[in-house]
Amino acid sequence: MLHISPTFLSFFIFGLVNNVLYVIILTAAHDLVSPTTPKSLILLADILPAFLLKLALPWLVKQTTHRETQIGLGINYRLRLAIIVALSATGMFLTSLALPLYIVLLGVVLASLSSGLGETTFLQLSHFHNQDSSNTAIHGWSSGTGAAGLIGAGLILVLTTIFKLPIDVVLRFCSLFPFIHLYVYYCYLPTPVLYAYSTRMEDNGINYDDPSEITNGINLYESTFVSETTVEKTMLTKMRNYFWVYMLPLSVVYFAEYTINQGVAPTMLFPLEDTPFDTFRDSYVAYGTLYQVGVFISRSSGSFIKLHNLYLMGILQFVNLAFCILQSMYMLIPNIWVVFLLILYEGLLGGAAYVNTFMKVSDEVGNEDREFALGCVGVSDSFGIVLAAIISLWLEPKLCGYQVGIGRNWCTKK
């Protein structure tokens, strides 16, 4: 009988619930704005707040100098979890209402803040649950975030395209998902394992059976005085090292793939009679679903397929971007089924870059710096997506305008 460890399953669910609303919002972007409004407007509202928040969060963790702990503002995982649930549930509910666009965008922003806080929080929390070199928590998180893409996009495709449910009803239902976090954290998540600090925690009388007390108990340690400037310089040096090895290649991959998803894919259209769909909007939803299928497959492969050349995946994704732009302009591929395969391949590359980046961090960064490193590198994908959203605000209208100019006006229709 197949045994799935509670640690893997807990972080799988954390990743699934944290990312599923982000995916649902992007997949429903065509329904949230008019056909002529760039879909990247939703992407920008869905990622920029998360990116800005994630920039700050790595500084709110412990730093160790000469075996003594230097504290920033500390991490309170229970408080963070409450904020994550409140933001995401409120945000999704606002997006479901028939209100002016700026109110809907506010809901997207709230959900974005929740997603950004959640990603950094759960990645940092995984540091305390990796019991050995198998990186069980990281694998669970990565697989869960991949499943979030598949389930989120698939849910919109099935409920709105096949069952024809109104998008507002679907979004309102999805606003209940964040409460699953509470059950998993308080009722299922196993006791953390902290090799480097377990002895000192016991010496300080910390309750080892309480996950919150262990993760927050680090803040109880006394530390020798080290100037704040020295600590900040050390952190900046570490960030520069992480940037070239891990952060830049991951940012490149995400910039290319999200430019495809939000700036090019809405214009890679075919005559309806040549597609299995009733509306042009359904092609966009199908592209998003297939992309997420690829992401799920590759993010779940980290335990048995390891790719070490992170920059190569960035180059390959840029080749995809260039080809998709040419496809939008000149219809080099006259068959939508072949384009489906191209989008699936794009998702495979993106998911592989994500899981292999965080696995390399977990394998290569020392235990005393790993929590900080995971928080830093977690900013990379968001940075690439922010740039993609900005570029796509210009790119999608340009591609659509080019198509209209040569007699293909599908991009202006629902």
Side-chain angles (χ1 to χ4, degrees):
M1 184 176 179
L2 179 64
H3 173 71
I4 300 178
S5 75
T7 297
F8 178 92
L9 187 56
S10 295
F11 279 87
F12 179 91
I13 296 173
F14 286 147
L16 171 63
V17 175
N18 188 74
N19 282 31
V20 73
L21 301 184
Y22 166 80
V23 174
I24 286 171
I25 288 172
L26 291 186
T27 309
H30 208 290
D31 301 301
L32 298 177
V33 298
S34 67
T36 55
T37 301
K39 312 307 171 290
S40 53
L41 181 64
I42 297 295
L43 175 61
L44 193 61
D46 205 16
I47 194 61
L48 183 58
F51 169 67
L52 296 176
L53 184 64
K54 285 158 70 174
L55 278 178
L57 288 177
W59 301 89
L60 309 185
V61 303
K62 63 180 181 61
Q63 288 296 299
T64 303
T65 305
H66 301 301
R67 299 183 179 179
E68 297 293 342
T69 303
Q70 301 299 315
I71 303 302
L73 297 182
I75 296 178
N76 186 319
Y77 285 100
R78 289 183 172 182
L79 176 60
R80 282 194 180 193
L81 191 66
I83 295 173
I84 289 167
V85 172
L87 287 175
S88 53
T90 303
M92 286 303 295
F93 186 77
L94 287 177
T95 62
S96 71
L97 302 177
L99 295 172
L101 180 59
Y102 71 91
I103 298 295
V104 174
L105 290 177
L106 173 61
V108 176
V109 167
L110 293 180
S112 173
L113 290 171
S114 171
S115 177
L117 179 60
E119 181 169 0
T120 302
T121 295
F122 292 123
L123 279 171
Q124 291 175 332
L125 183 62
S126 73
H127 166 66
F128 300 96
H129 290 267
N130 280 324
Q131 300 182 11
D132 50 43
S133 60
S134 63
N135 294 322
T136 302
I138 289 288
H139 288 313
W141 167 266
S142 180
S143 183
T145 56
L150 179 60
I151 292 174
L155 193 67
I156 296 297
L157 179 66
V158 170
L159 295 183
T160 63
T161 301
I162 298 178
F163 289 102
K164 309 296 183 184
L165 290 179
I167 189 64
D168 59 328
V169 173
V170 175
L171 294 176
R172 218 161 291 157
F173 167 69
C174 293
S175 68
L176 300 175
F177 291 175
F179 294 96
I180 298 174
H181 278 319
L182 299 177
Y183 172 78
V184 174
Y185 184 83
Y186 287 105
C187 303
Y188 189 75
L189 181 66
T191 301
V193 176
L194 257 180
Y195 287 109
Y197 301 101
S198 58
T199 301
R200 296 186 66 186
M201 286 163 56
E202 292 167 1
D203 291 343
N204 281 278
I206 294 178
N207 181 5
Y208 194 73
D209 294 324
D210 186 345
S212 177
E213 191 167 346
I214 290 175
T215 53
N216 293 309
I218 296 171
N219 297 340
L220 299 177
Y221 299 151
E222 296 180 357
S223 59
T224 56
F225 178 79
V226 177
S227 72
E228 186 174 332
T229 301
T230 301
V231 173
E232 289 180 354
K233 286 181 178 179
T234 302
M235 295 170 75
L236 287 173
T237 300
K238 292 175 182 177
M239 286 190 70
R240 281 195 292 269
N241 294 335
Y242 301 151
F243 175 81
W244 294 110
V245 179
Y246 310 112
M247 299 170 72
L248 181 59
L250 187 61
S251 295
V252 168
V253 170
Y254 269 78
F255 169 77
E257 69 187 69
Y258 272 84
T259 302
I260 294 173
N261 294 344
Q262 304 302 126
V264 186
T267 67
M268 289 200 297
L269 303 173
F270 294 83
L272 286 179
E273 58 269 20
D274 295 338
T275 74
F277 307 118
D278 298 326
T279 66
F280 292 106
R281 167 259 185 205
D282 292 337
S283 295
Y284 174 79
V285 175
Y287 289 151
T289 303
L290 285 169
Y291 162 76
Q292 298 294 352
V293 169
V295 169
F296 172 66
I297 293 172
S298 55
R299 286 198 182 190
S300 301
S301 67
S303 60
F304 51 89
I305 298 178
K306 292 188 178 183
L307 304 175
H308 299 287
N309 194 333
L310 303 181
Y311 279 95
L312 176 60
M313 287 181 275
I315 293 172
L316 293 175
Q317 202 68 291
F318 253 92
V319 172
N320 283 347
L321 171 59
F323 188 86
C324 286
I325 291 175
L326 293 175
Q327 169 65 21
S328 173
M329 297 175 65
Y330 305 115
M331 292 190 71
L332 302 177
I333 301 174
N335 189 308
I336 194 172
W337 297 98
V338 180
V339 174
F340 285 163
L341 292 177
L342 178 65
I343 297 297
L344 178 66
Y345 169 61
E346 174 212 347
L348 289 170
L349 271 179
Y354 183 92
V355 66
N356 281 280
T357 297
F358 284 106
M359 282 177 58
K360 283 175 71 68
V361 172
S362 188
D363 290 340
E364 297 173 358
V365 177
N367 187 61
E368 69 279 3
D369 294 323
R370 192 174 301 139
E371 186 187 13
F372 177 69
L374 288 169
C376 290
V377 179
V379 175
S380 308
D381 54 344
S382 296
F383 178 68
I385 297 171
V386 167
L387 292 181
I390 294 172
I391 293 295
S392 297
L393 285 172
W394 166 84
L395 182 59
E396 183 190 346
K398 283 293 183 182
L399 291 175
C400 185
Y402 175 84
Q403 292 180 356
V404 171
I406 61 175
R408 296 187 347 232
N409 65 343
W410 309 322
C411 59
T412 64
K413 299 180 179 180
K414 277 284 189 183

